[in-house]
Amino acid sequence: MSEKLFASAQEVAERAGVSRSAVSRTFTPGASVSTETRRKVLEAAEALGYHVNELARGLMRNESGIVCLIVSDVATPYRSALLRELTLLLQNAGKVAMLINTDRSDGSVDRALRQAIRYRADASIMLSGMPDKSIAQLCLRSGQRLVLINRDDEQPGPLRINLDDDEAAGRVVTAFVRAGCRKLAFANSEAGTPSLMAREQGFVAAANALGIKVSVERHGWTGYEAGKVLAQRMLTRTERPDAVFCATDLLACGFMDAARHQFSISVPDQLCIAGFDDIDQASWSSYDLTTFAQPVSAIASKAVEWLSQPQSENGDTISEQSIRLRAELVWRGSIRGG
């Protein structure tokens, strides 16, 4: 026979010599219970190893406290930093985070999300532009609150949190021009997410406004190896760029390593490089990368604050539905004059 894992509230009541409702009031914040009754209940609960069944409580209130984190590229430094911040804030808010990895496209993502819905997940947060829009629609149809981070979905209902990616890209153009650069390039992946494309389009537009043509190259996934390939393509051209804005720091790190070690190009003397995300590696002395810091803490705080707000009678969260944040430029040594 298997050993019983959980003590019940009734068992606590019997051991403490109080009613079942007294146990419930003891573990309900703000409920009225005498000091002596509270003492008896807590002592009995400690002896029996009793823990409140929050899932059962939540279902009685039609709330489970479960929040799905729908994410791709879990292992990348920026995404893991955002996950760390979100899970900490959700825990502090008394919620439970359920991770759904969307890197696969074989139906496992849909099955995982439907399982979360069966567990009555209250909300979902989509952490990137990669997951298909149908996933967001499934969340909304199931009655979940939904937070979209760095996405361009225009459907009503979700909270949308985006960065001023195009404005940031314009600041990079200014930095390159002030460093004396005139042959500008943009290195991007083929992921095509809204944030990556906004950086590309903003950079090209800002340079064109100054009469400067931009060379754009895209390759592969948004990672270190793709950055190396992009460098090999751009730096073997007849006319090499003298400044490159990489869509992410991982691309920039790969690009910089290839430029230095395969082409013996000096950064920033012969080539200025900028990235985006301000991952830990960007500050390492081997890169010293000028980049933009993703406001990770602000993104996570806005998301969890919105999910914690009460809803109106028709189910809408009472709050603004769109938030735009600014990425701060972090000056380091990969751009001359920075």
Side-chain angles (χ1 to χ4, degrees):
M1 181 181 294
S2 60
E3 183 179 350
K4 186 176 181 181
L5 297 178
F6 301 106
S8 69
Q10 183 60 43
E11 289 171 321
V12 173
E14 291 171 358
R15 185 182 182 96
V18 300
S19 66
R20 169 66 178 77
S21 62
V23 175
S24 177
R25 292 197 304 275
T26 298
F27 291 99
T28 301
S32 176
V33 61
S34 71
T35 302
E36 181 61 17
T37 297
R38 182 183 300 277
R39 182 189 64 77
K40 290 179 180 180
V41 170
L42 293 179
E43 287 180 354
E46 179 68 23
L48 294 172
Y50 170 77
H51 298 280
V52 176
N53 188 336
E54 294 290 355
L55 181 59
R57 276 192 171 187
L59 292 177
M60 290 176 64
R61 302 190 304 267
N62 201 28
E63 295 178 359
S64 67
I66 297 173
V67 177
C68 298
L69 302 179
I70 304 171
V71 57
S72 60
D73 292 335
V74 177
T76 60
Y78 159 65
R79 203 79 71 216
S80 61
L82 184 53
L83 278 173
R84 181 175 62 247
E85 196 73 20
L86 278 168
T87 51
L88 285 173
L89 291 179
L90 287 170
Q91 287 167 198
N92 291 340
K95 301 183 182 298
V96 177
M98 178 181 290
L99 179 65
I100 297 179
N101 188 332
T102 63
D103 284 346
R104 299 172 62 181
S105 58
D106 59 359
S108 60
V109 174
D110 184 74
R111 288 194 297 273
L113 183 56
R114 290 182 184 278
Q115 183 178 23
I117 291 172
R118 287 196 293 272
Y119 276 96
R120 300 296 189 268
D122 295 333
S124 287
I125 303 176
M126 297 185 72
L127 275 69
S128 72
M130 283 303 296
D132 192 85
K133 290 184 178 180
S134 62
I135 295 178
Q137 293 164 0
L138 176 59
C139 294
L140 292 173
R141 286 200 305 271
S142 71
Q144 291 186 8
R145 300 193 202 187
L146 182 62
V147 177
L148 303 174
I149 298 175
N150 290 331
R151 294 179 62 92
D152 60 356
D153 306 52
E154 291 299 330
Q155 53 196 320
L159 171 67
R160 293 178 292 276
I161 303 176
N162 291 288
L163 301 184
D164 277 327
D165 291 288
D166 51 351
E167 183 271 340
R171 282 185 276 159
V172 179
V173 172
T174 301
F176 284 158
V177 170
R178 287 177 177 172
C181 304
R182 293 298 181 269
K183 294 178 287 186
L184 309 189
F186 189 88
N188 204 351
S189 75
E190 293 178 326
T193 63
S195 55
L196 297 181
M197 296 311 298
R199 291 166 205 169
E200 178 183 312
Q201 293 160 7
F203 186 76
V204 171
N208 289 347
L210 297 176
I212 301 174
K213 185 178 179 181
V214 176
S215 172
V216 175
E217 189 75 43
R218 306 185 192 104
H219 174 74
W221 209 243
T222 314
Y224 176 86
E225 292 299 328
K228 292 175 65 176
V229 173
L230 288 164
Q232 292 160 2
R233 290 182 179 180
M234 289 183 169
L235 300 178
T236 53
R237 294 174 179 169
T238 303
E239 185 175 62
R240 289 177 172 175
D242 58 9
V244 179
F245 181 26
C246 298
T248 70
D249 286 352
L250 282 179
L251 289 174
C253 290
F255 198 106
M256 189 182 297
D257 280 345
R260 286 171 167 168
H261 303 303
Q262 296 179 15
F263 298 94
S264 299
I265 293 175
S266 174
V267 177
D269 298 329
Q270 296 172 287
L271 176 67
C272 290
I273 298 178
F276 203 105
D277 288 338
D278 194 30
I279 62 177
D280 288 343
Q281 291 87 338
S283 65
W284 293 358
S285 57
S286 56
Y287 295 113
D288 198 24
L289 179 66
T290 295
T291 183
F292 286 89
Q294 289 261 15
V296 171
S297 295
I299 292 172
S301 295
K302 294 290 185 183
V304 176
E305 286 172 9
W306 187 78
L307 291 177
S308 300
Q309 289 181 4
Q311 290 182 305
S312 61
E313 291 183 0
N314 62 3
D316 294 331
T317 301
I318 305 172
S319 176
E320 59 181 314
Q321 301 293 303
S322 182
I323 296 172
R324 189 165 292 272
L325 301 173
R326 191 173 192 263
E328 292 300 328
L329 183 59
V330 181
W331 281 101
R332 296 194 181 98
S334 64
I335 298 179
R336 294 188 297 275

